[in-house]
Amino acid sequence: MITLSRTGAAENVALITLNRPSALNALCRELMLELSENLLKVEKDQSYHVIVLTGSEKAFAAGADIKEMAKLEFADVFENDYFTNWDTLSHITKPVIAAVNGFALGGGTELALMCDIVYAGENAIFGQPEITIGTIPGLGGTQRWPRYVSKSVAMEICLSGDRLGAQEAKEDGLVSKVFPVQQLVGEAVLLADRIAKNSPLIVKTVKRSLNSAYQTSLNQGLEMEKQLFQSTFATNDRREGMSAFAEKRAPKWTSS
Ligand SMILES: C/C=C/C(=O)SCCNC(=O)CCNC(=O)[C@H](O)C(C)(C)COP(=O)(O)OP(=O)(O)OC[C@H]1O[C@@H](n2cnc3c(N)ncnc32)[C@H](O)[C@@H]1OP(=O)(O)O
């Protein structure tokens, strides 16, 4: 249900593809376990610098598997914590780019919201239709939407179940760029290449610092940024980056 391949100019980009076409990549337990295993594998493997997560041209993911959920009772989801490990994506320290074509509904949108950067194909459709089937977003939708867009937009999406096209999602700030469907994954890999040209150690430091903006007060975040900035001065990559600039040559990163 998941394919992992190596791509990018330096073969250091992990392309993870949701591959359950019979159900438009609906997120069932098995698929999410496989996704989690693949993410953790890529996270540990130092030869991967950036991750691109995508689906098919028709669907990134049509949400959590409604047929699987339909059979569950409160005790199943509560005691067995139905979504255990479904948020592995949000714990990955390497940059993750979502390349979203087609339907990204419910849990599909929430997976995209867990990624660091969202690129969309012109046919992308986002939304939180859980309200229309008697439940609510459970993979972060009600928490991440209001952090990334206005309260009014977040409420409208979660309360109505209305769908959002790619262009609208870009205007609202969920998506950074929109591309023709067939170019989308290639453009996401090109961006991954540009990120992967930088020191993996410093890239992770930027991601940690930026993510703290969503967790802390401004003062705590500024303090954390200052400390992380100072900590880069203890790295070989900071020394190498500045020396390479002065010597007019490309830096050679060692992630140390
Ligand atoms: C915490 C998170 C909660 C959630 O995520 S709740 C789920 C939120 N998602 C949704 O409500 C979307 C459900 N899906 C749809 O509304 C439609 O699909 C689409 C609009 C995405 C596409 O419609 P069309 O192009 O007509 O395709 P099709 O025939 O409906 O789907 C093809 C096959 O895929 C299965 N499928 C689609 N989405 C799901 C899903 N979310 N869970 C389980 N199965 C799904 C269908 O049933 C069908 O299968 P078959 O060919 O056997 O009838």
Side-chain angles (χ1 to χ4, degrees):
M1 289 188 190
I2 299 291
T3 59
L4 166 63
S5 58
R6 192 178 279 283
T7 186
E11 295 276 303
N12 57 10
V13 177
L15 178 64
I16 297 182
T17 307
L18 309 179
N19 187 18
R20 191 190 175 204
S22 60
L24 301 182
N25 294 333
L27 309 173
C28 59
R29 277 183 167 134
E30 199 184 330
L31 181 149
M32 292 308 285
L33 181 63
E34 266 187 53
L35 176 62
S36 182
E37 287 168 353
N38 278 280
L39 285 167
L40 294 174
K41 181 176 166 188
V42 171
E43 173 79 348
K44 273 194 208 136
D45 185 335
Q46 299 302 323
S47 67
Y48 290 113
H49 293 194
V50 182
I51 300 168
V52 173
L53 178 67
T54 195
S56 68
E57 287 187 3
K58 177 156 187 193
F60 179 71
D65 189 319
I66 301 170
K67 294 169 192 167
E68 187 176 87
M69 286 192 296
K71 301 172 203 140
L72 303 176
E73 297 295 331
F74 170 76
D76 301 317
V77 288
F78 182 76
E79 289 200 49
N80 300 325
D81 195 1
Y82 183 55
F83 287 143
T84 302
N85 298 331
W86 285 41
D87 64 347
T88 303
L89 201 44
S90 64
H91 300 294
I92 297 298
T93 62
K94 296 177 182 180
V96 186
I97 303 165
V100 178
N101 268 324
F103 296 108
L105 297 175
T109 280
E110 290 170 298
L111 275 191
L113 288 170
M114 285 183 215
C115 295
D116 301 309
I117 297 168
V118 185
Y119 272 12
E122 284 166 345
N123 69 345
I125 295 172
F126 299 89
Q128 300 290 166
E130 291 89 344
I131 191 85
T132 67
I133 56 166
T135 185
I136 74 166
L139 285 172
T142 65
Q143 301 306 301
R144 291 197 174 94
W145 271 106
R147 282 171 167 80
Y148 304 158
V149 302
S150 71
K151 176 184 173 185
S152 178
V153 168
M155 282 287 186
E156 187 174 334
I157 285 158
C158 294
L159 290 174
S160 69
D162 284 354
R163 296 176 187 170
L164 213 61
Q167 207 52 48
E168 216 180 329
K170 181 172 181 295
E171 280 155 24
D172 287 337
L174 171 68
V175 161
S176 56
K177 289 196 175 107
V178 178
F179 296 98
V181 170
Q182 290 180 352
Q183 285 175 27
L184 174 72
V185 174
E187 290 289 344
V189 172
L190 286 176
L191 172 63
D193 277 344
R194 294 198 294 282
I195 295 170
K197 276 188 181 155
N198 300 311
S199 154
L201 183 69
I202 307 299
V203 163
K204 279 188 182 183
T205 309
V206 171
K207 174 166 168 168
R208 183 189 289 187
S209 188
L210 205 149
N211 272 337
S212 76
Y214 294 102
Q215 311 282 350
T216 62
S217 69
L218 177 60
N219 279 342
Q220 287 169 320
L222 289 171
E223 185 54 34
M224 173 148 178
E225 183 192 73
K226 186 163 49 172
Q227 287 175 13
L228 287 171
F229 167 75
Q230 289 165 350
S231 75
T232 65
F233 283 71
T235 67
N236 289 323
D237 281 355
R238 194 279 311 167
R239 272 188 287 278
E240 168 65 6
M242 294 188 180
S243 302
F245 174 80
E247 292 160 18
K248 299 186 189 297
R249 62 173 176 80
K252 289 191 188 118
W253 308 122
T254 52
S255 239
S256 61

